[in-house]
Short mmCIF file of all heavy atoms in Angstrom, two decimals:
data_model
loop_
_atom_site.label_atom_id
_atom_site.label_comp_id
_atom_site.label_asym_id
_atom_site.label_seq_id
_atom_site.Cartn_x
_atom_site.Cartn_y
_atom_site.Cartn_z
N LYS A 85 -12.86 -12.53 -5.92
CA LYS A 85 -12.80 -13.96 -6.25
C LYS A 85 -13.20 -14.24 -7.70
O LYS A 85 -12.73 -15.18 -8.33
CB LYS A 85 -13.73 -14.71 -5.29
CG LYS A 85 -13.45 -16.17 -5.16
CD LYS A 85 -14.20 -16.79 -3.99
CE LYS A 85 -15.71 -16.69 -4.20
NZ LYS A 85 -16.48 -17.48 -3.23
N HIS A 110 -8.26 -11.65 3.40
CA HIS A 110 -9.26 -12.38 2.61
C HIS A 110 -9.69 -13.67 3.32
O HIS A 110 -10.87 -13.97 3.44
CB HIS A 110 -8.69 -12.76 1.23
CG HIS A 110 -8.48 -11.59 0.32
ND1 HIS A 110 -8.04 -11.74 -0.97
CD2 HIS A 110 -8.66 -10.26 0.49
CE1 HIS A 110 -7.94 -10.55 -1.55
NE2 HIS A 110 -8.32 -9.64 -0.68
N LYS A 111 -8.69 -14.42 3.81
CA LYS A 111 -8.99 -15.71 4.47
C LYS A 111 -9.80 -15.48 5.73
O LYS A 111 -10.72 -16.25 6.04
CB LYS A 111 -7.68 -16.44 4.80
CG LYS A 111 -7.01 -17.04 3.58
CD LYS A 111 -5.65 -17.63 3.91
CE LYS A 111 -4.94 -18.03 2.63
NZ LYS A 111 -3.48 -17.83 2.70
N GLU A 112 -9.45 -14.45 6.49
CA GLU A 112 -10.20 -14.13 7.72
C GLU A 112 -11.66 -13.82 7.39
O GLU A 112 -12.57 -14.28 8.08
CB GLU A 112 -9.59 -12.92 8.43
CG GLU A 112 -8.34 -13.22 9.21
CD GLU A 112 -7.67 -11.95 9.72
OE1 GLU A 112 -8.07 -10.85 9.31
OE2 GLU A 112 -6.73 -12.07 10.52
N ALA A 113 -11.85 -13.01 6.33
CA ALA A 113 -13.22 -12.62 5.95
C ALA A 113 -14.04 -13.86 5.57
O ALA A 113 -15.20 -14.01 5.98
CB ALA A 113 -13.18 -11.64 4.78
N VAL A 114 -13.43 -14.75 4.81
CA VAL A 114 -14.12 -15.99 4.39
C VAL A 114 -14.47 -16.83 5.62
O VAL A 114 -15.59 -17.37 5.72
CB VAL A 114 -13.24 -16.78 3.39
CG1 VAL A 114 -13.79 -18.18 3.16
CG2 VAL A 114 -13.12 -16.02 2.07
N LEU A 115 -13.55 -16.94 6.57
CA LEU A 115 -13.78 -17.73 7.78
C LEU A 115 -14.93 -17.13 8.61
O LEU A 115 -15.82 -17.86 9.07
CB LEU A 115 -12.49 -17.76 8.61
CG LEU A 115 -12.40 -18.82 9.71
CD1 LEU A 115 -12.53 -20.22 9.13
CD2 LEU A 115 -11.08 -18.68 10.46
N HIS A 116 -14.93 -15.81 8.79
CA HIS A 116 -16.02 -15.16 9.52
C HIS A 116 -17.36 -15.45 8.84
O HIS A 116 -18.36 -15.73 9.51
CB HIS A 116 -15.81 -13.64 9.58
CG HIS A 116 -14.70 -13.21 10.50
ND1 HIS A 116 -14.54 -13.71 11.77
CD2 HIS A 116 -13.69 -12.30 10.32
CE1 HIS A 116 -13.48 -13.15 12.35
NE2 HIS A 116 -12.95 -12.30 11.48
N HIS A 117 -17.37 -15.35 7.51
CA HIS A 117 -18.60 -15.57 6.75
C HIS A 117 -19.10 -17.01 6.95
O HIS A 117 -20.30 -17.23 7.16
CB HIS A 117 -18.34 -15.29 5.27
CG HIS A 117 -19.56 -15.43 4.40
ND1 HIS A 117 -20.64 -14.58 4.50
CD2 HIS A 117 -19.87 -16.33 3.43
CE1 HIS A 117 -21.56 -14.95 3.63
NE2 HIS A 117 -21.13 -16.00 2.97
N ARG A 118 -18.17 -17.95 6.92
CA ARG A 118 -18.55 -19.36 7.13
C ARG A 118 -19.17 -19.56 8.51
O ARG A 118 -20.02 -20.43 8.70
CB ARG A 118 -17.30 -20.26 7.03
CG ARG A 118 -16.94 -20.60 5.61
CD ARG A 118 -15.98 -21.78 5.58
NE ARG A 118 -15.34 -21.83 4.27
CZ ARG A 118 -14.03 -21.90 4.07
NH1 ARG A 118 -13.20 -21.96 5.10
NH2 ARG A 118 -13.54 -21.94 2.87
N ARG A 119 -18.70 -18.77 9.46
CA ARG A 119 -19.22 -18.88 10.83
C ARG A 119 -20.48 -18.04 11.03
O ARG A 119 -20.93 -17.83 12.15
CB ARG A 119 -18.13 -18.47 11.83
CG ARG A 119 -17.01 -19.51 11.86
CD ARG A 119 -15.84 -19.12 12.72
NE ARG A 119 -14.86 -20.19 12.75
CZ ARG A 119 -13.62 -20.08 13.20
NH1 ARG A 119 -13.20 -18.91 13.66
NH2 ARG A 119 -12.80 -21.11 13.20
N GLY A 120 -21.00 -17.50 9.93
CA GLY A 120 -22.28 -16.79 9.98
C GLY A 120 -22.20 -15.37 10.47
O GLY A 120 -23.22 -14.76 10.81
N ARG A 121 -21.00 -14.81 10.53
CA ARG A 121 -20.85 -13.45 11.04
C ARG A 121 -21.02 -12.41 9.94
O ARG A 121 -20.56 -12.61 8.81
CB ARG A 121 -19.46 -13.26 11.67
CG ARG A 121 -19.25 -14.08 12.93
CD ARG A 121 -17.84 -13.89 13.48
NE ARG A 121 -17.63 -14.78 14.63
CZ ARG A 121 -16.55 -15.54 14.81
NH1 ARG A 121 -15.56 -15.49 13.92
NH2 ARG A 121 -16.44 -16.31 15.85
N GLU A 122 -21.64 -11.31 10.29
CA GLU A 122 -21.69 -10.13 9.42
C GLU A 122 -20.35 -9.41 9.58
O GLU A 122 -19.86 -9.26 10.71
CB GLU A 122 -22.85 -9.24 9.87
CG GLU A 122 -23.16 -8.09 8.94
CD GLU A 122 -24.37 -7.30 9.42
OE1 GLU A 122 -25.11 -7.77 10.32
OE2 GLU A 122 -24.56 -6.18 8.91
N ILE A 123 -19.76 -8.95 8.48
CA ILE A 123 -18.41 -8.39 8.55
C ILE A 123 -18.43 -6.90 8.30
O ILE A 123 -19.07 -6.41 7.37
CB ILE A 123 -17.50 -9.09 7.51
CG1 ILE A 123 -17.41 -10.58 7.82
CG2 ILE A 123 -16.10 -8.47 7.48
CD1 ILE A 123 -17.01 -11.43 6.66
N GLN A 140 -14.48 -11.19 -2.03
CA GLN A 140 -14.30 -12.60 -1.64
C GLN A 140 -15.62 -13.25 -1.25
O GLN A 140 -15.71 -14.48 -1.18
CB GLN A 140 -13.33 -12.71 -0.44
CG GLN A 140 -11.94 -12.16 -0.69
CD GLN A 140 -11.29 -12.74 -1.92
OE1 GLN A 140 -11.14 -13.96 -2.07
NE2 GLN A 140 -10.89 -11.86 -2.84
N LEU A 141 -16.63 -12.42 -0.98
CA LEU A 141 -17.89 -12.92 -0.40
C LEU A 141 -19.09 -12.44 -1.20
O LEU A 141 -19.00 -11.47 -1.96
CB LEU A 141 -18.00 -12.42 1.05
CG LEU A 141 -16.88 -12.90 1.98
CD1 LEU A 141 -16.97 -12.20 3.31
CD2 LEU A 141 -16.94 -14.40 2.16
N PRO A 142 -20.24 -13.09 -1.01
CA PRO A 142 -21.44 -12.66 -1.73
C PRO A 142 -21.80 -11.22 -1.38
O PRO A 142 -21.53 -10.75 -0.26
CB PRO A 142 -22.54 -13.61 -1.22
CG PRO A 142 -21.80 -14.79 -0.65
CD PRO A 142 -20.49 -14.27 -0.16
N SER A 145 -22.53 -9.22 2.27
CA SER A 145 -21.91 -9.89 3.43
C SER A 145 -20.99 -8.95 4.21
O SER A 145 -20.70 -9.18 5.37
CB SER A 145 -21.06 -11.08 2.97
OG SER A 145 -21.77 -11.91 2.10
N ASN A 165 -23.45 -11.01 16.42
CA ASN A 165 -22.74 -11.91 15.49
C ASN A 165 -21.98 -11.11 14.44
O ASN A 165 -22.29 -11.15 13.26
CB ASN A 165 -23.74 -12.86 14.84
CG ASN A 165 -23.07 -14.16 14.42
OD1 ASN A 165 -21.94 -14.43 14.79
ND2 ASN A 165 -23.77 -14.95 13.63
N ALA A 167 -18.06 -9.34 13.02
CA ALA A 167 -16.59 -9.36 12.98
C ALA A 167 -16.11 -8.12 12.25
O ALA A 167 -16.82 -7.58 11.40
CB ALA A 167 -16.09 -10.61 12.27
#
Side-chain angles (χ1 to χ4, degrees):
K85 200 168 63 169
H110 290 183
K111 286 174 188 145
E112 282 171 350
V114 169
L115 196 60
H116 288 314
H117 183 67
R118 278 196 197 129
R119 290 175 177 167
R121 293 178 185 134
E122 189 177 347
I123 299 158
Q140 300 307 304
L141 299 172
S145 310
N165 206 11

